[in-house]
Amino acid sequence: VTPVLYQLRLSHFNEKARWALDHKRVPHVRRDALPGFHTVTAMRLKRQQTMPILELDGQRIGESAEIIEALEDRGPGPSLRPADPAELREARELERDLDEHFGPDVRRIFIYHMFSEAPEALRDVWTIPASATARGVYNAGFGFTKFAAGQSLRLKPDAVKRSKERVGATLDRIEAKLGEGDYLAGDSFSLADLTLAALLFPIVQPPEFQYTYPAAPPGLESYRDELRSRRAFGWVEEMWRRHRPESAEVEG
Ligand SMILES: N[C@@H](CCC(=O)N[C@@H](CS)C(=O)NCC(=O)O)C(=O)O
């Protein structure tokens, strides 16, 4: 059976799973959810609140890191695991760390700017996969979705400020680690590189992204400008150019 990815399009944790599926050339079906309503589907599928969820060989996997590991265990396709055990350990540690703090910080920054400056632009991109009827319902309830997300993601100026400081500190660390090299663990593209390049995409907005971005409002644009001069920003663009393959999605 063809694997099925339950996903949000404009989401960096979901991008990790898509990138791994595409990298390994695993034909898969994608089922889109609407942000906010996706928790209902996620609950039904796996008693959890978050996506991505991948249905793979009769199992449901509900964490992006576990999805990558399962695809690696299953074989074919180019490996995302460094061959050297110490480098593999390092790559996984970096992934775990980025998933825990960096991912949520980037999401808070991105959604905060969109909600406070251009909420309709974000809503209109979020509802691209929805039917006209679903879009109507969604738009009517959007004030509530926005409020609920604001609470659960702590979209407050002081929290956003701290998120930006932590993101800056993480990028300092990453740049030091990269040094003169091209990759974060070993000397080829691994799950560590994929994780960082996927988790920063909402800010970098590389053209290889497979879906639509909302236009960045001025506050988000000036934050992008702050980061643009950094090595890590150009590095993320480069990872997308070199290593983000075409989609392996199939009709389902
Ligand atoms: N650690 C999870 C994080 C996934 C995650 O946070 N997904 C977000 C979308 S970016 C989500 O579904 N959030 C809904 C919620 O937390 O209620 C992973 O790596 O898969």
Side-chain angles (χ1 to χ4, degrees), residues 8 11 13 38-39 49-52 63-64 107:
L8 298 167
S11 153
F13 284 114
H38 72 292
T39 56
Q49 304 253 7
T50 61
M51 289 189 179
E63 278 288 329
S64 60
R107 176 173 55 199

PDB file of all heavy atoms in Angstrom, residues 8 11 13 38-39 49-52 63-64 107, ligand 1:
ATOM      1  N   LEU A   8       0.071  19.516   6.885  1.00  0.00           N
ATOM      2  CA  LEU A   8      -0.205  20.936   6.669  1.00  0.00           C
ATOM      3  C   LEU A   8       0.822  21.411   5.659  1.00  0.00           C
ATOM      4  O   LEU A   8       2.007  21.113   5.794  1.00  0.00           O
ATOM      5  CB  LEU A   8      -0.036  21.711   7.982  1.00  0.00           C
ATOM      6  CG  LEU A   8      -0.977  21.318   9.116  1.00  0.00           C
ATOM      7  CD1 LEU A   8      -0.498  21.920  10.433  1.00  0.00           C
ATOM      8  CD2 LEU A   8      -2.393  21.794   8.813  1.00  0.00           C
ATOM      9  N   SER A  11       3.967  24.324   6.786  1.00  0.00           N
ATOM     10  CA  SER A  11       4.435  23.975   8.121  1.00  0.00           C
ATOM     11  C   SER A  11       5.797  23.320   8.031  1.00  0.00           C
ATOM     12  O   SER A  11       6.022  22.422   7.217  1.00  0.00           O
ATOM     13  CB  SER A  11       3.446  23.008   8.779  1.00  0.00           C
ATOM     14  OG  SER A  11       4.124  22.203   9.714  1.00  0.00           O
ATOM     15  N   PHE A  13       7.540  21.479  10.300  1.00  0.00           N
ATOM     16  CA  PHE A  13       7.693  20.090  10.733  1.00  0.00           C
ATOM     17  C   PHE A  13       7.152  19.142   9.657  1.00  0.00           C
ATOM     18  O   PHE A  13       7.667  18.047   9.450  1.00  0.00           O
ATOM     19  CB  PHE A  13       6.961  19.845  12.063  1.00  0.00           C
ATOM     20  CG  PHE A  13       7.693  20.417  13.253  1.00  0.00           C
ATOM     21  CD1 PHE A  13       7.159  21.460  13.994  1.00  0.00           C
ATOM     22  CD2 PHE A  13       8.920  19.903  13.642  1.00  0.00           C
ATOM     23  CE1 PHE A  13       7.831  21.987  15.089  1.00  0.00           C
ATOM     24  CE2 PHE A  13       9.603  20.416  14.738  1.00  0.00           C
ATOM     25  CZ  PHE A  13       9.058  21.470  15.473  1.00  0.00           C
ATOM     26  N   HIS A  38      -6.798  20.578  11.945  1.00  0.00           N
ATOM     27  CA  HIS A  38      -5.932  19.402  11.792  1.00  0.00           C
ATOM     28  C   HIS A  38      -5.827  18.609  13.099  1.00  0.00           C
ATOM     29  O   HIS A  38      -5.594  17.410  13.085  1.00  0.00           O
ATOM     30  CB  HIS A  38      -4.538  19.814  11.329  1.00  0.00           C
ATOM     31  CG  HIS A  38      -3.709  20.501  12.368  1.00  0.00           C
ATOM     32  ND1 HIS A  38      -3.996  21.744  12.853  1.00  0.00           N
ATOM     33  CD2 HIS A  38      -2.612  20.094  13.034  1.00  0.00           C
ATOM     34  CE1 HIS A  38      -3.097  22.079  13.768  1.00  0.00           C
ATOM     35  NE2 HIS A  38      -2.247  21.101  13.903  1.00  0.00           N
ATOM     36  N   THR A  39      -6.040  19.280  14.223  1.00  0.00           N
ATOM     37  CA  THR A  39      -5.927  18.566  15.506  1.00  0.00           C
ATOM     38  C   THR A  39      -7.023  17.501  15.634  1.00  0.00           C
ATOM     39  O   THR A  39      -6.805  16.464  16.244  1.00  0.00           O
ATOM     40  CB  THR A  39      -6.023  19.537  16.704  1.00  0.00           C
ATOM     41  OG1 THR A  39      -7.246  20.263  16.609  1.00  0.00           O
ATOM     42  CG2 THR A  39      -4.868  20.523  16.712  1.00  0.00           C
ATOM     43  N   GLN A  49      -2.129  15.745  18.920  1.00  0.00           N
ATOM     44  CA  GLN A  49      -2.620  17.032  18.433  1.00  0.00           C
ATOM     45  C   GLN A  49      -1.934  17.485  17.153  1.00  0.00           C
ATOM     46  O   GLN A  49      -2.381  18.426  16.521  1.00  0.00           O
ATOM     47  CB  GLN A  49      -2.312  18.117  19.488  1.00  0.00           C
ATOM     48  CG  GLN A  49      -2.869  17.824  20.845  1.00  0.00           C
ATOM     49  CD  GLN A  49      -4.050  18.724  21.157  1.00  0.00           C
ATOM     50  OE1 GLN A  49      -4.517  19.481  20.289  1.00  0.00           O
ATOM     51  NE2 GLN A  49      -4.539  18.646  22.368  1.00  0.00           N
ATOM     52  N   THR A  50      -0.805  16.880  16.821  1.00  0.00           N
ATOM     53  CA  THR A  50       0.045  17.481  15.793  1.00  0.00           C
ATOM     54  C   THR A  50       0.122  16.653  14.510  1.00  0.00           C
ATOM     55  O   THR A  50      -0.103  15.453  14.494  1.00  0.00           O
ATOM     56  CB  THR A  50       1.487  17.677  16.314  1.00  0.00           C
ATOM     57  OG1 THR A  50       2.031  16.402  16.653  1.00  0.00           O
ATOM     58  CG2 THR A  50       1.514  18.573  17.538  1.00  0.00           C
ATOM     59  N   MET A  51       0.467  17.336  13.440  1.00  0.00           N
ATOM     60  CA  MET A  51       0.874  16.719  12.184  1.00  0.00           C
ATOM     61  C   MET A  51       2.314  17.150  11.943  1.00  0.00           C
ATOM     62  O   MET A  51       2.719  18.172  12.471  1.00  0.00           O
ATOM     63  CB  MET A  51      -0.034  17.193  11.060  1.00  0.00           C
ATOM     64  CG  MET A  51      -1.419  16.580  11.197  1.00  0.00           C
ATOM     65  SD  MET A  51      -2.414  16.935   9.749  1.00  0.00           S
ATOM     66  CE  MET A  51      -3.915  16.060  10.203  1.00  0.00           C
ATOM     67  N   PRO A  52       3.084  16.414  11.179  1.00  0.00           N
ATOM     68  CA  PRO A  52       2.712  15.343  10.268  1.00  0.00           C
ATOM     69  C   PRO A  52       2.401  14.016  10.968  1.00  0.00           C
ATOM     70  O   PRO A  52       2.911  13.734  12.039  1.00  0.00           O
ATOM     71  CB  PRO A  52       3.975  15.174   9.426  1.00  0.00           C
ATOM     72  CG  PRO A  52       5.097  15.507  10.370  1.00  0.00           C
ATOM     73  CD  PRO A  52       4.536  16.650  11.174  1.00  0.00           C
ATOM     74  N   GLU A  63       5.619  11.726  14.545  1.00  0.00           N
ATOM     75  CA  GLU A  63       6.688  12.683  14.859  1.00  0.00           C
ATOM     76  C   GLU A  63       7.593  12.741  13.640  1.00  0.00           C
ATOM     77  O   GLU A  63       7.986  11.686  13.112  1.00  0.00           O
ATOM     78  CB  GLU A  63       7.535  12.178  16.030  1.00  0.00           C
ATOM     79  CG  GLU A  63       6.978  12.429  17.404  1.00  0.00           C
ATOM     80  CD  GLU A  63       7.062  13.897  17.816  1.00  0.00           C
ATOM     81  OE1 GLU A  63       7.998  14.604  17.375  1.00  0.00           O
ATOM     82  OE2 GLU A  63       6.177  14.324  18.568  1.00  0.00           O
ATOM     83  N   SER A  64       7.977  13.942  13.234  1.00  0.00           N
ATOM     84  CA  SER A  64       8.798  14.048  12.030  1.00  0.00           C
ATOM     85  C   SER A  64      10.107  13.256  12.163  1.00  0.00           C
ATOM     86  O   SER A  64      10.538  12.609  11.209  1.00  0.00           O
ATOM     87  CB  SER A  64       9.070  15.508  11.693  1.00  0.00           C
ATOM     88  OG  SER A  64       9.754  16.148  12.746  1.00  0.00           O
ATOM     89  N   ARG A 107       8.316  29.032  14.344  1.00  0.00           N
ATOM     90  CA  ARG A 107       6.873  29.067  14.095  1.00  0.00           C
ATOM     91  C   ARG A 107       6.224  30.261  14.798  1.00  0.00           C
ATOM     92  O   ARG A 107       5.385  30.948  14.226  1.00  0.00           O
ATOM     93  CB  ARG A 107       6.245  27.758  14.583  1.00  0.00           C
ATOM     94  CG  ARG A 107       4.731  27.729  14.455  1.00  0.00           C
ATOM     95  CD  ARG A 107       4.184  26.356  14.783  1.00  0.00           C
ATOM     96  NE  ARG A 107       4.618  25.917  16.100  1.00  0.00           N
ATOM     97  CZ  ARG A 107       4.599  24.642  16.503  1.00  0.00           C
ATOM     98  NH1 ARG A 107       4.199  23.694  15.706  1.00  0.00           N
ATOM     99  NH2 ARG A 107       4.999  24.327  17.711  1.00  0.00           N
TER     100      ARG A 107
HETATM  101  N1  LIG B   1       7.585  17.295  17.236  1.00  0.00           N
HETATM  102  C1  LIG B   1       6.564  17.266  16.210  1.00  0.00           C
HETATM  103  C2  LIG B   1       6.025  18.652  16.042  1.00  0.00           C
HETATM  104  C3  LIG B   1       4.915  18.730  15.050  1.00  0.00           C
HETATM  105  C4  LIG B   1       4.134  20.033  15.186  1.00  0.00           C
HETATM  106  O1  LIG B   1       4.352  20.817  16.103  1.00  0.00           O
HETATM  107  N2  LIG B   1       3.212  20.248  14.261  1.00  0.00           N
HETATM  108  C5  LIG B   1       2.398  21.423  14.302  1.00  0.00           C
HETATM  109  C6  LIG B   1       2.272  22.072  12.985  1.00  0.00           C
HETATM  110  S1  LIG B   1       3.801  22.897  12.583  1.00  0.00           S
HETATM  111  C7  LIG B   1       1.032  21.066  14.790  1.00  0.00           C
HETATM  112  O2  LIG B   1       0.428  20.139  14.293  1.00  0.00           O
HETATM  113  N3  LIG B   1       0.552  21.789  15.812  1.00  0.00           N
HETATM  114  C8  LIG B   1      -0.750  21.621  16.328  1.00  0.00           C
HETATM  115  C9  LIG B   1      -0.823  21.636  17.815  1.00  0.00           C
HETATM  116  O3  LIG B   1       0.246  21.620  18.479  1.00  0.00           O
HETATM  117  O4  LIG B   1      -1.946  21.653  18.311  1.00  0.00           O
HETATM  118  C10 LIG B   1       7.211  16.737  14.943  1.00  0.00           C
HETATM  119  O5  LIG B   1       8.406  16.911  14.772  1.00  0.00           O
HETATM  120  O6  LIG B   1       6.497  16.115  14.146  1.00  0.00           O
END
